[in-house]
Amino acid sequence: MEIRNTNINDCFVIVPKKNYDTRGSFHRSYCENILKKKKINFKLRQCNISINLKKGTIRGFHYQSKPYTENKIISAISGSIFNVIIDLRKESKTFLKKFIYKLKAEKNELLLIPAGCANAFLTTSSNTIIHYYMSSIFEKENKNKYKGFKFNDNYFNIKWPIKVEKISKKDKSYKIFNLNDLK
C-alpha cells in the first residue's frame, strides 16, 4: 500500500498494491500494520456501506464534535464521487483548509478522513456504492453528536462539478457554517 499525504494534516490517500492473474485482481484495502508503520493510528470498530442510486446525490457535510470524533476510511466499491474534506480542528495547522478528491471505483483508492474533519461527497455516476471503515461504533443514544452544515455554504465556496439532484431532509435542514459551533 502506498500512503500519500494531502494538504490536510493526518488526511491521506491510500493506494493499494494490486496483484493480477488470469482470474482478475486482488488487493488489500485495510492493514493495521502498514498504517502503524506510517504512524497512523486507526482502530477499526465498524464498517458501513452507502448505496446511492442516482448521479447527483449529495451526502454531507457531516462531522462529529468532541469527545465523539471518529476517523473514517472510505472507498468507492462502484461508481465515483467528488469528495470534499474540511479540517475543523482548531488546534490543527490546516484548520479550515479543504481537500478535494475524485474517488473512482476502478482506481481502488481510499481516503482516510481524520477525526475532527467534516466530509461531503457528490456522486458523479449512478449506482455508486461507498464503503466506510469507522474508528467508532454508531450509538443511537448519542445521535446529537452528529453535526453538519450546508453543502453549498458560501464560507467554503465549493465548486461542485455537477448539479445536486438528491439530498436528504436532514442535510437540507443544516444551517450555514458557524465557527462558534465548533467546540
Side-chain angles (χ1 to χ4, degrees), residues 4 6 21 24 26 32 36 41 45 50 55 58 66-67 73 80 108 117 122 124-125 132-133 158 168 173 175-176 180:
R4 298 180 188 154
T6 69
D21 64 20
F26 174 87
E32 186 176 9
K36 279 185 177 179
N41 186 19
R45 304 285 311 276
S50 167
K55 178 180 179 177
I58 195 145
K66 289 180 182 179
I73 297 175
S80 57
N108 298 117
C117 290
L122 178 66
T124 53
S125 61
Y132 295 75
Y133 296 109
I158 307 298
S168 71
S173 73
K175 308 277 187 252
I176 60 169
N180 295 325

PDB file of all heavy atoms in Angstrom, residues 4 6 21 24 26 32 36 41 45 50 55 58 66-67 73 80 108 117 122 124-125 132-133 158 168 173 175-176 180:
ATOM      1  N   ARG A   4      -0.308   8.399   0.609  1.00  0.00           N
ATOM      2  CA  ARG A   4       0.077   9.732   0.141  1.00  0.00           C
ATOM      3  C   ARG A   4      -0.479  10.806   1.076  1.00  0.00           C
ATOM      4  O   ARG A   4      -1.651  10.761   1.457  1.00  0.00           O
ATOM      5  CB  ARG A   4      -0.474   9.992  -1.255  1.00  0.00           C
ATOM      6  CG  ARG A   4       0.039   9.058  -2.314  1.00  0.00           C
ATOM      7  CD  ARG A   4      -0.582   9.404  -3.655  1.00  0.00           C
ATOM      8  NE  ARG A   4      -0.255   8.398  -4.643  1.00  0.00           N
ATOM      9  CZ  ARG A   4      -0.996   8.126  -5.700  1.00  0.00           C
ATOM     10  NH1 ARG A   4      -2.118   8.788  -5.916  1.00  0.00           N
ATOM     11  NH2 ARG A   4      -0.626   7.195  -6.540  1.00  0.00           N
ATOM     12  N   THR A   6      -1.805  14.614   2.013  1.00  0.00           N
ATOM     13  CA  THR A   6      -2.639  15.619   1.349  1.00  0.00           C
ATOM     14  C   THR A   6      -2.309  16.970   1.980  1.00  0.00           C
ATOM     15  O   THR A   6      -1.410  17.065   2.812  1.00  0.00           O
ATOM     16  CB  THR A   6      -4.143  15.310   1.534  1.00  0.00           C
ATOM     17  OG1 THR A   6      -4.498  15.512   2.908  1.00  0.00           O
ATOM     18  CG2 THR A   6      -4.485  13.889   1.106  1.00  0.00           C
ATOM     19  N   ASP A  21      -3.818 -11.745 -11.886  1.00  0.00           N
ATOM     20  CA  ASP A  21      -3.590 -13.027 -12.526  1.00  0.00           C
ATOM     21  C   ASP A  21      -4.754 -13.277 -13.488  1.00  0.00           C
ATOM     22  O   ASP A  21      -5.544 -12.365 -13.742  1.00  0.00           O
ATOM     23  CB  ASP A  21      -3.400 -14.158 -11.505  1.00  0.00           C
ATOM     24  CG  ASP A  21      -4.625 -14.438 -10.653  1.00  0.00           C
ATOM     25  OD1 ASP A  21      -5.759 -14.061 -11.043  1.00  0.00           O
ATOM     26  OD2 ASP A  21      -4.472 -15.044  -9.580  1.00  0.00           O
ATOM     27  N   GLY A  24      -8.317 -12.200 -12.396  1.00  0.00           N
ATOM     28  CA  GLY A  24      -8.627 -10.789 -12.152  1.00  0.00           C
ATOM     29  C   GLY A  24      -7.559 -10.172 -11.272  1.00  0.00           C
ATOM     30  O   GLY A  24      -6.376 -10.321 -11.537  1.00  0.00           O
ATOM     31  N   PHE A  26      -6.422  -8.798  -7.003  1.00  0.00           N
ATOM     32  CA  PHE A  26      -6.595  -8.877  -5.558  1.00  0.00           C
ATOM     33  C   PHE A  26      -5.812  -7.720  -4.954  1.00  0.00           C
ATOM     34  O   PHE A  26      -4.704  -7.416  -5.392  1.00  0.00           O
ATOM     35  CB  PHE A  26      -6.036 -10.211  -5.032  1.00  0.00           C
ATOM     36  CG  PHE A  26      -6.049 -10.306  -3.527  1.00  0.00           C
ATOM     37  CD1 PHE A  26      -7.170 -10.767  -2.858  1.00  0.00           C
ATOM     38  CD2 PHE A  26      -4.942  -9.922  -2.781  1.00  0.00           C
ATOM     39  CE1 PHE A  26      -7.182 -10.843  -1.470  1.00  0.00           C
ATOM     40  CE2 PHE A  26      -4.949  -9.996  -1.391  1.00  0.00           C
ATOM     41  CZ  PHE A  26      -6.072 -10.467  -0.737  1.00  0.00           C
ATOM     42  N   GLU A  32      -3.784  -2.774   9.399  1.00  0.00           N
ATOM     43  CA  GLU A  32      -3.401  -2.044  10.604  1.00  0.00           C
ATOM     44  C   GLU A  32      -1.877  -1.922  10.719  1.00  0.00           C
ATOM     45  O   GLU A  32      -1.366  -0.865  11.090  1.00  0.00           O
ATOM     46  CB  GLU A  32      -3.973  -2.750  11.834  1.00  0.00           C
ATOM     47  CG  GLU A  32      -3.747  -2.003  13.121  1.00  0.00           C
ATOM     48  CD  GLU A  32      -4.411  -2.679  14.309  1.00  0.00           C
ATOM     49  OE1 GLU A  32      -4.905  -3.816  14.175  1.00  0.00           O
ATOM     50  OE2 GLU A  32      -4.426  -2.052  15.379  1.00  0.00           O
ATOM     51  N   LYS A  36       0.217   1.506  11.009  1.00  0.00           N
ATOM     52  CA  LYS A  36       1.060   1.754  12.196  1.00  0.00           C
ATOM     53  C   LYS A  36       2.493   2.114  11.802  1.00  0.00           C
ATOM     54  O   LYS A  36       3.112   2.968  12.429  1.00  0.00           O
ATOM     55  CB  LYS A  36       1.055   0.542  13.121  1.00  0.00           C
ATOM     56  CG  LYS A  36      -0.157   0.481  14.007  1.00  0.00           C
ATOM     57  CD  LYS A  36      -0.061  -0.669  14.996  1.00  0.00           C
ATOM     58  CE  LYS A  36      -1.262  -0.652  15.911  1.00  0.00           C
ATOM     59  NZ  LYS A  36      -1.224  -1.760  16.869  1.00  0.00           N
ATOM     60  N   ASN A  41      -2.701   5.860  13.542  1.00  0.00           N
ATOM     61  CA  ASN A  41      -3.426   5.034  14.495  1.00  0.00           C
ATOM     62  C   ASN A  41      -4.898   4.987  14.088  1.00  0.00           C
ATOM     63  O   ASN A  41      -5.612   5.965  14.224  1.00  0.00           O
ATOM     64  CB  ASN A  41      -3.263   5.591  15.911  1.00  0.00           C
ATOM     65  CG  ASN A  41      -3.884   4.691  16.953  1.00  0.00           C
ATOM     66  OD1 ASN A  41      -4.124   3.516  16.707  1.00  0.00           O
ATOM     67  ND2 ASN A  41      -4.153   5.245  18.109  1.00  0.00           N
ATOM     68  N   ARG A  45     -13.532  -0.296  14.094  1.00  0.00           N
ATOM     69  CA  ARG A  45     -14.604  -0.654  15.024  1.00  0.00           C
ATOM     70  C   ARG A  45     -15.908  -1.001  14.310  1.00  0.00           C
ATOM     71  O   ARG A  45     -16.729  -1.715  14.854  1.00  0.00           O
ATOM     72  CB  ARG A  45     -14.873   0.514  15.985  1.00  0.00           C
ATOM     73  CG  ARG A  45     -13.692   1.009  16.788  1.00  0.00           C
ATOM     74  CD  ARG A  45     -13.276   0.112  17.931  1.00  0.00           C
ATOM     75  NE  ARG A  45     -14.336  -0.317  18.814  1.00  0.00           N
ATOM     76  CZ  ARG A  45     -14.816   0.379  19.832  1.00  0.00           C
ATOM     77  NH1 ARG A  45     -14.337   1.575  20.116  1.00  0.00           N
ATOM     78  NH2 ARG A  45     -15.771  -0.115  20.585  1.00  0.00           N
ATOM     79  N   SER A  50     -22.785   2.802   1.889  1.00  0.00           N
ATOM     80  CA  SER A  50     -23.741   3.800   1.409  1.00  0.00           C
ATOM     81  C   SER A  50     -24.037   3.494  -0.061  1.00  0.00           C
ATOM     82  O   SER A  50     -23.133   3.521  -0.895  1.00  0.00           O
ATOM     83  CB  SER A  50     -23.120   5.195   1.551  1.00  0.00           C
ATOM     84  OG  SER A  50     -23.853   6.153   0.850  1.00  0.00           O
ATOM     85  N   LYS A  55     -27.011   9.616  -9.891  1.00  0.00           N
ATOM     86  CA  LYS A  55     -25.945  10.595 -10.103  1.00  0.00           C
ATOM     87  C   LYS A  55     -26.458  11.937  -9.564  1.00  0.00           C
ATOM     88  O   LYS A  55     -27.634  12.267  -9.744  1.00  0.00           O
ATOM     89  CB  LYS A  55     -25.657  10.696 -11.606  1.00  0.00           C
ATOM     90  CG  LYS A  55     -24.624  11.702 -12.002  1.00  0.00           C
ATOM     91  CD  LYS A  55     -24.464  11.659 -13.525  1.00  0.00           C
ATOM     92  CE  LYS A  55     -23.463  12.658 -14.013  1.00  0.00           C
ATOM     93  NZ  LYS A  55     -23.271  12.535 -15.480  1.00  0.00           N
ATOM     94  N   ILE A  58     -26.029  13.987  -3.002  1.00  0.00           N
ATOM     95  CA  ILE A  58     -25.049  14.584  -2.088  1.00  0.00           C
ATOM     96  C   ILE A  58     -25.292  14.058  -0.680  1.00  0.00           C
ATOM     97  O   ILE A  58     -26.429  13.837  -0.271  1.00  0.00           O
ATOM     98  CB  ILE A  58     -25.078  16.127  -2.125  1.00  0.00           C
ATOM     99  CG1 ILE A  58     -23.830  16.681  -1.458  1.00  0.00           C
ATOM    100  CG2 ILE A  58     -26.341  16.700  -1.517  1.00  0.00           C
ATOM    101  CD1 ILE A  58     -23.296  17.930  -2.065  1.00  0.00           C
ATOM    102  N   LYS A  66     -16.252  16.810  19.612  1.00  0.00           N
ATOM    103  CA  LYS A  66     -15.586  16.157  20.733  1.00  0.00           C
ATOM    104  C   LYS A  66     -16.591  15.879  21.833  1.00  0.00           C
ATOM    105  O   LYS A  66     -17.519  16.667  22.006  1.00  0.00           O
ATOM    106  CB  LYS A  66     -14.463  17.060  21.271  1.00  0.00           C
ATOM    107  CG  LYS A  66     -13.286  17.171  20.331  1.00  0.00           C
ATOM    108  CD  LYS A  66     -12.231  18.079  20.922  1.00  0.00           C
ATOM    109  CE  LYS A  66     -11.078  18.222  19.958  1.00  0.00           C
ATOM    110  NZ  LYS A  66     -10.034  19.099  20.468  1.00  0.00           N
ATOM    111  N   PRO A  67     -16.492  14.830  22.548  1.00  0.00           N
ATOM    112  CA  PRO A  67     -15.439  13.808  22.540  1.00  0.00           C
ATOM    113  C   PRO A  67     -15.756  12.630  21.617  1.00  0.00           C
ATOM    114  O   PRO A  67     -15.171  11.579  21.730  1.00  0.00           O
ATOM    115  CB  PRO A  67     -15.421  13.343  24.000  1.00  0.00           C
ATOM    116  CG  PRO A  67     -16.858  13.420  24.404  1.00  0.00           C
ATOM    117  CD  PRO A  67     -17.421  14.616  23.666  1.00  0.00           C
ATOM    118  N   ILE A  73     -12.200   5.743   6.879  1.00  0.00           N
ATOM    119  CA  ILE A  73     -11.532   5.422   5.620  1.00  0.00           C
ATOM    120  C   ILE A  73     -12.649   5.058   4.655  1.00  0.00           C
ATOM    121  O   ILE A  73     -13.458   4.178   4.946  1.00  0.00           O
ATOM    122  CB  ILE A  73     -10.530   4.262   5.759  1.00  0.00           C
ATOM    123  CG1 ILE A  73      -9.394   4.627   6.720  1.00  0.00           C
ATOM    124  CG2 ILE A  73      -9.978   3.880   4.382  1.00  0.00           C
ATOM    125  CD1 ILE A  73      -8.420   3.497   7.000  1.00  0.00           C
ATOM    126  N   SER A  80     -18.494   6.593  -8.725  1.00  0.00           N
ATOM    127  CA  SER A  80     -17.496   7.620  -8.436  1.00  0.00           C
ATOM    128  C   SER A  80     -18.119   8.764  -7.647  1.00  0.00           C
ATOM    129  O   SER A  80     -19.320   9.018  -7.748  1.00  0.00           O
ATOM    130  CB  SER A  80     -16.883   8.147  -9.732  1.00  0.00           C
ATOM    131  OG  SER A  80     -17.903   8.648 -10.577  1.00  0.00           O
ATOM    132  N   ASN A 108      -9.606   1.971  -7.127  1.00  0.00           N
ATOM    133  CA  ASN A 108      -9.472   1.265  -5.851  1.00  0.00           C
ATOM    134  C   ASN A 108      -8.746   2.062  -4.766  1.00  0.00           C
ATOM    135  O   ASN A 108      -8.201   1.483  -3.836  1.00  0.00           O
ATOM    136  CB  ASN A 108      -8.776  -0.088  -6.033  1.00  0.00           C
ATOM    137  CG  ASN A 108      -9.560  -1.018  -6.914  1.00  0.00           C
ATOM    138  OD1 ASN A 108      -9.095  -1.398  -7.968  1.00  0.00           O
ATOM    139  ND2 ASN A 108     -10.770  -1.364  -6.519  1.00  0.00           N
ATOM    140  N   CYS A 117     -12.675  16.367  11.159  1.00  0.00           N
ATOM    141  CA  CYS A 117     -12.859  16.957   9.829  1.00  0.00           C
ATOM    142  C   CYS A 117     -14.284  16.669   9.349  1.00  0.00           C
ATOM    143  O   CYS A 117     -14.841  15.614   9.632  1.00  0.00           O
ATOM    144  CB  CYS A 117     -11.862  16.377   8.831  1.00  0.00           C
ATOM    145  SG  CYS A 117     -10.177  16.893   9.109  1.00  0.00           S
ATOM    146  N   LEU A 122     -20.450  14.082  -3.481  1.00  0.00           N
ATOM    147  CA  LEU A 122     -21.468  14.157  -4.514  1.00  0.00           C
ATOM    148  C   LEU A 122     -21.191  13.026  -5.496  1.00  0.00           C
ATOM    149  O   LEU A 122     -20.062  12.917  -6.009  1.00  0.00           O
ATOM    150  CB  LEU A 122     -21.402  15.510  -5.228  1.00  0.00           C
ATOM    151  CG  LEU A 122     -22.366  15.740  -6.381  1.00  0.00           C
ATOM    152  CD1 LEU A 122     -23.817  15.771  -5.891  1.00  0.00           C
ATOM    153  CD2 LEU A 122     -22.034  17.040  -7.100  1.00  0.00           C
ATOM    154  N   THR A 124     -20.921  11.207  -8.841  1.00  0.00           N
ATOM    155  CA  THR A 124     -20.744  11.667 -10.222  1.00  0.00           C
ATOM    156  C   THR A 124     -21.129  10.575 -11.216  1.00  0.00           C
ATOM    157  O   THR A 124     -20.920  10.729 -12.415  1.00  0.00           O
ATOM    158  CB  THR A 124     -19.306  12.163 -10.455  1.00  0.00           C
ATOM    159  OG1 THR A 124     -18.382  11.157 -10.046  1.00  0.00           O
ATOM    160  CG2 THR A 124     -19.046  13.439  -9.661  1.00  0.00           C
ATOM    161  N   SER A 125     -21.669   9.479 -10.695  1.00  0.00           N
ATOM    162  CA  SER A 125     -22.238   8.433 -11.540  1.00  0.00           C
ATOM    163  C   SER A 125     -23.376   7.765 -10.768  1.00  0.00           C
ATOM    164  O   SER A 125     -23.413   7.826  -9.536  1.00  0.00           O
ATOM    165  CB  SER A 125     -21.172   7.414 -11.957  1.00  0.00           C
ATOM    166  OG  SER A 125     -20.622   6.780 -10.829  1.00  0.00           O
ATOM    167  N   TYR A 132     -17.331   2.401   4.078  1.00  0.00           N
ATOM    168  CA  TYR A 132     -16.702   3.165   5.161  1.00  0.00           C
ATOM    169  C   TYR A 132     -16.096   2.209   6.186  1.00  0.00           C
ATOM    170  O   TYR A 132     -16.790   1.302   6.666  1.00  0.00           O
ATOM    171  CB  TYR A 132     -17.753   3.958   5.946  1.00  0.00           C
ATOM    172  CG  TYR A 132     -18.481   5.044   5.243  1.00  0.00           C
ATOM    173  CD1 TYR A 132     -19.482   4.773   4.330  1.00  0.00           C
ATOM    174  CD2 TYR A 132     -18.213   6.374   5.549  1.00  0.00           C
ATOM    175  CE1 TYR A 132     -20.188   5.793   3.716  1.00  0.00           C
ATOM    176  CE2 TYR A 132     -18.921   7.400   4.941  1.00  0.00           C
ATOM    177  CZ  TYR A 132     -19.907   7.096   4.023  1.00  0.00           C
ATOM    178  OH  TYR A 132     -20.606   8.106   3.437  1.00  0.00           O
ATOM    179  N   TYR A 133     -14.851   2.431   6.557  1.00  0.00           N
ATOM    180  CA  TYR A 133     -14.265   1.835   7.755  1.00  0.00           C
ATOM    181  C   TYR A 133     -14.344   2.930   8.820  1.00  0.00           C
ATOM    182  O   TYR A 133     -13.932   4.056   8.571  1.00  0.00           O
ATOM    183  CB  TYR A 133     -12.795   1.468   7.551  1.00  0.00           C
ATOM    184  CG  TYR A 133     -12.547   0.398   6.518  1.00  0.00           C
ATOM    185  CD1 TYR A 133     -11.970   0.703   5.292  1.00  0.00           C
ATOM    186  CD2 TYR A 133     -12.861  -0.940   6.785  1.00  0.00           C
ATOM    187  CE1 TYR A 133     -11.724  -0.280   4.355  1.00  0.00           C
ATOM    188  CE2 TYR A 133     -12.614  -1.925   5.843  1.00  0.00           C
ATOM    189  CZ  TYR A 133     -12.043  -1.595   4.638  1.00  0.00           C
ATOM    190  OH  TYR A 133     -11.796  -2.567   3.709  1.00  0.00           O
ATOM    191  N   ILE A 158     -17.434  25.839  -2.344  1.00  0.00           N
ATOM    192  CA  ILE A 158     -17.117  24.609  -3.084  1.00  0.00           C
ATOM    193  C   ILE A 158     -17.753  24.687  -4.471  1.00  0.00           C
ATOM    194  O   ILE A 158     -18.927  25.013  -4.615  1.00  0.00           O
ATOM    195  CB  ILE A 158     -17.663  23.362  -2.346  1.00  0.00           C
ATOM    196  CG1 ILE A 158     -17.207  23.312  -0.894  1.00  0.00           C
ATOM    197  CG2 ILE A 158     -17.307  22.084  -3.109  1.00  0.00           C
ATOM    198  CD1 ILE A 158     -15.752  23.207  -0.661  1.00  0.00           C
ATOM    199  N   SER A 168     -30.878  14.545   1.348  1.00  0.00           N
ATOM    200  CA  SER A 168     -31.786  14.133   2.418  1.00  0.00           C
ATOM    201  C   SER A 168     -32.414  15.354   3.087  1.00  0.00           C
ATOM    202  O   SER A 168     -31.878  16.462   3.020  1.00  0.00           O
ATOM    203  CB  SER A 168     -31.026  13.307   3.467  1.00  0.00           C
ATOM    204  OG  SER A 168     -30.158  14.139   4.207  1.00  0.00           O
ATOM    205  N   SER A 173     -31.706  20.524   5.860  1.00  0.00           N
ATOM    206  CA  SER A 173     -32.074  21.356   7.015  1.00  0.00           C
ATOM    207  C   SER A 173     -30.873  21.967   7.743  1.00  0.00           C
ATOM    208  O   SER A 173     -31.053  22.826   8.600  1.00  0.00           O
ATOM    209  CB  SER A 173     -32.891  20.539   8.022  1.00  0.00           C
ATOM    210  OG  SER A 173     -32.062  19.620   8.706  1.00  0.00           O
ATOM    211  N   LYS A 175     -27.866  24.269   8.872  1.00  0.00           N
ATOM    212  CA  LYS A 175     -27.625  25.714   8.811  1.00  0.00           C
ATOM    213  C   LYS A 175     -26.298  25.967   8.101  1.00  0.00           C
ATOM    214  O   LYS A 175     -25.543  25.048   7.812  1.00  0.00           O
ATOM    215  CB  LYS A 175     -27.559  26.300  10.227  1.00  0.00           C
ATOM    216  CG  LYS A 175     -28.747  25.951  11.099  1.00  0.00           C
ATOM    217  CD  LYS A 175     -29.888  26.892  10.834  1.00  0.00           C
ATOM    218  CE  LYS A 175     -31.014  26.680  11.811  1.00  0.00           C
ATOM    219  NZ  LYS A 175     -32.184  26.074  11.299  1.00  0.00           N
ATOM    220  N   ILE A 176     -26.000  27.235   7.867  1.00  0.00           N
ATOM    221  CA  ILE A 176     -24.702  27.589   7.286  1.00  0.00           C
ATOM    222  C   ILE A 176     -23.621  27.373   8.337  1.00  0.00           C
ATOM    223  O   ILE A 176     -23.889  27.308   9.534  1.00  0.00           O
ATOM    224  CB  ILE A 176     -24.681  29.043   6.747  1.00  0.00           C
ATOM    225  CG1 ILE A 176     -24.959  30.053   7.859  1.00  0.00           C
ATOM    226  CG2 ILE A 176     -25.654  29.200   5.593  1.00  0.00           C
ATOM    227  CD1 ILE A 176     -24.687  31.487   7.446  1.00  0.00           C
ATOM    228  N   ASN A 180     -18.503  29.458  15.673  1.00  0.00           N
ATOM    229  CA  ASN A 180     -18.899  29.336  17.080  1.00  0.00           C
ATOM    230  C   ASN A 180     -19.508  27.977  17.408  1.00  0.00           C
ATOM    231  O   ASN A 180     -19.607  27.613  18.588  1.00  0.00           O
ATOM    232  CB  ASN A 180     -19.877  30.441  17.468  1.00  0.00           C
ATOM    233  CG  ASN A 180     -19.223  31.809  17.383  1.00  0.00           C
ATOM    234  OD1 ASN A 180     -18.042  31.951  17.675  1.00  0.00           O
ATOM    235  ND2 ASN A 180     -19.979  32.797  16.962  1.00  0.00           N
TER     236      ASN A 180
END
